[in-house]
Amino acid sequence: MNATDFEAALLAVPKAVPELRHAVRGYLGGGPYPEVELCVSELVSNVIRHVGEGTPVRVRVTRVGLDGLDGDRIRVEVTDPDPRALPVLLDVTTDTGLGAESGRGLMLLDAVAVRWGVEQGVSGKVVWCEVRD
């Protein structure tokens, strides 16, 4: 971890999501970063919904750059201990998706992120995304 990164270890519970957004906003200087806050909320909420409430997670936010240029993107990473529950980008325009109560959060993340993905390991995974700074 770089000294300028934000990192938090917590239990994935609904109450933690707004507190985490507030902490990330402070790390980023207090300004409005709606895309970063949406990514943090969605990734932690997905752990709550698909892995289980109370799952231990690690959230990391850092400024990264392309080709060694620092700071042109903000990377959000959420690590959880379940290597099997992988995020799936749903097509909400299908018949089953149109009436669905959930499934749009990852679509929103996909829309605001420059890129996103999953790093799968034996004992867990990291779901990450990058947005423009």
Side-chain angles (χ1 to χ4, degrees):
M1 180 174 98
N2 186 318
T4 60
D5 293 350
F6 169 87
E7 191 164 329
L10 58 124
L11 297 179
V13 295
K15 177 184 167 198
V17 176
E19 295 168 358
L20 188 57
R21 282 194 309 262
H22 180 74
V24 168
R25 192 178 313 123
Y27 159 74
L28 293 171
Y33 282 89
E35 294 89 357
V36 175
E37 292 180 40
L38 179 135
C39 292
V40 166
S41 295
E42 176 57 23
L43 294 177
V44 173
S45 295
N46 276 351
V47 172
I48 294 168
R49 182 174 189 87
H50 299 290
V51 180
E53 188 170 332
T55 299
V57 297
R58 182 179 57 86
V59 178
R60 183 173 181 226
V61 179
T62 187
R63 286 188 157 90
V64 296
L66 293 170
D67 301 322
L69 303 173
D70 289 332
D72 67 339
R73 290 173 290 134
I74 298 172
R75 183 177 175 107
V76 176
E77 300 176 351
V78 174
T79 304
D80 74 66
D82 188 343
R84 299 163 298 153
L86 299 176
V88 176
L89 184 60
L90 300 176
D91 181 359
V92 295
T93 62
T94 64
D95 289 337
T96 56
L98 289 173
E101 291 289 322
S102 63
R104 290 174 177 77
L106 198 54
M107 182 183 69
L108 291 171
L109 182 140
D110 184 63
V112 302
V114 174
R115 60 190 194 138
W116 69 273
V118 180
E119 295 171 12
Q120 193 173 12
V122 174
S123 61
K125 67 181 171 298
V126 179
V127 183
W128 58 270
C129 67
E130 295 176 357
V131 298
R132 297 202 190 283
D133 192 353

